[in-house]
Amino acid sequence: MLPLALSAPRPRRGWVSHWSTIGRVRMHVRVPADPMAGLPVVMLHGLAVSHRYLMPTADALADRHPVLVPDLPGFGLSTKPPVAFDVPRHARFLSAWLDAHRLSRIAVAGHSFGAEVAAALAVLRPDAVAALVLAGPTADPAARSRRGLIGRWFADLPAEDPRQAAILARDVWDARPWRVWATIGHSVRNRVEDDLRRVTAPTLVLGGDRDTVAPLAWRTRVAQLTGGVSATLPGAAHNALTTAGPAAADAIAAHLEAGSPVFPELRRDARGTATMQIGQPEDPPA
């Protein structure tokens, strides 16, 4: 987990760093040096972190799809603007980044706050976003306040792999606590439902069965609002894209390769929402 996650900007295991300047922001993106052909997958990180914690899923997915893992403005190795971007501003920035790189048809996989940005981008650019993955999406209306969201994160910590602490510490240091605090405010003020109702791209809602930040009831509601599919990763908590990378990559690849609904063994509950249990609990990655 740690060597690959913390390696940028140095090359490691076939991953390299690229930069591009959009407006006044120099944006860092982690990409495979020799990408696969196919629909590119842009993975968007959460509000206190960076590309680093997404690398277990990105690495497992990269042998099936080209994968791009950017650091959003203010995070990771990207430029640190003097203000924290809100959800619409991140979406507009990413739209300009897509145009600059002629990425006319992509899948977007966002985790946590990144899922809010992914949904906004899908609404802003339905011409470009061919498929959508919302992993552990925030912010559940039942805890839509700074206190509520932070409380859920603390409740999630005992279920997380402690080896993530080194990644989180590096990411918060890069972003600075004031930006994290400001972005929490942007998250809880963002009515993500307004975007979810307008999503037209086939959508997979993904989460761990131990996730207290985005619990199953909320993920089910997100799937209903998007007309998408809800899938659960056994044994995983909120950071499922870190601790259950291969299983998450399998779910994402199935969604992209078969469309939505994507799984032949889907079960529908009494409300008609499709759900699936993926795989078996697994040990944290080495």
Side-chain angles (χ1 to χ4, degrees):
M1 179 193 298
L2 292 180
L4 181 60
L6 297 174
S7 60
R10 300 181 308 277
R12 188 175 182 91
R13 285 178 51 180
W15 289 88
V16 296
S17 289
H18 287 177
W19 279 267
S20 58
T21 300
I22 308 298
R24 297 182 179 181
V25 175
R26 188 169 184 253
M27 187 176 187
H28 170 258
V29 184
R30 200 68 167 159
V31 296
D34 186 18
M36 300 288 293
L39 182 70
V41 181
V42 177
M43 299 185 67
L44 302 179
H45 62 76
L47 63 79
V49 281
S50 74
H51 77 278
R52 297 179 180 108
Y53 81 113
L54 298 176
M55 291 308 299
T57 295
D59 194 48
L61 187 60
D63 63 355
R64 286 167 280 189
H65 286 269
V67 180
L68 302 91
V69 198
D71 289 329
L72 294 173
F75 298 91
L77 301 180
S78 291
T79 294
K80 307 301 186 292
V83 297
F85 286 15
D86 61 10
V87 170
R89 190 167 181 182
H90 276 302
R92 292 193 300 269
F93 177 87
L94 288 167
S95 176
W97 176 74
L98 294 178
D99 289 341
H101 291 278
R102 299 181 181 179
L103 292 168
S104 60
R105 196 76 170 156
I106 61 165
V108 181
H111 176 256
S112 199
F113 177 74
E116 298 182 57
V117 176
L121 180 62
V123 171
L124 181 65
R125 295 295 305 272
D127 59 307
V129 178
L132 185 63
V133 178
L134 305 176
T138 51
D140 183 353
R144 193 167 287 170
S145 66
R146 279 193 175 102
R147 177 178 292 181
L149 190 54
I150 293 170
R152 285 192 172 188
W153 278 331
F154 277 109
D156 183 74
L157 286 176
E160 295 287 357
D161 186 335
R163 288 175 295 175
Q164 297 176 82
I167 301 172
L168 180 60
R170 176 73 176 273
D171 284 340
V172 171
W173 172 259
D174 283 345
R176 299 298 191 259
W178 72 262
R179 191 183 308 276
V180 174
W181 180 254
T183 307
I184 294 172
H186 290 320
S187 176
V188 300
R189 287 190 293 270
N190 179 51
R191 283 187 51 83
V192 68
E193 299 96 324
D194 294 344
D195 286 328
L196 297 174
R197 291 186 180 95
R198 299 168 61 196
V199 166
T200 58
T203 301
L204 170 65
V205 183
L206 190 61
D209 65 358
R210 304 176 71 188
D211 187 348
T212 62
V213 178
L216 179 60
W218 167 237
R219 299 198 309 269
T220 300
R221 178 60 177 155
V222 172
Q224 290 172 335
L225 290 171
T226 60
V229 177
S230 176
T232 299
L233 298 169
H238 186 57
N239 289 347
L241 300 191
T242 308
T243 60
D250 287 345
I252 294 169
H255 179 56
L256 301 183
E257 290 159 12
S260 183
V262 296
F263 302 109
E265 57 270 62
L266 284 171
R267 304 185 302 274
R268 292 190 177 270
D269 63 20
R271 294 168 292 185
T273 299
T275 62
M276 182 184 175
Q277 197 83 353
I278 300 172
Q280 299 297 323
E282 59 185 36
D283 293 332

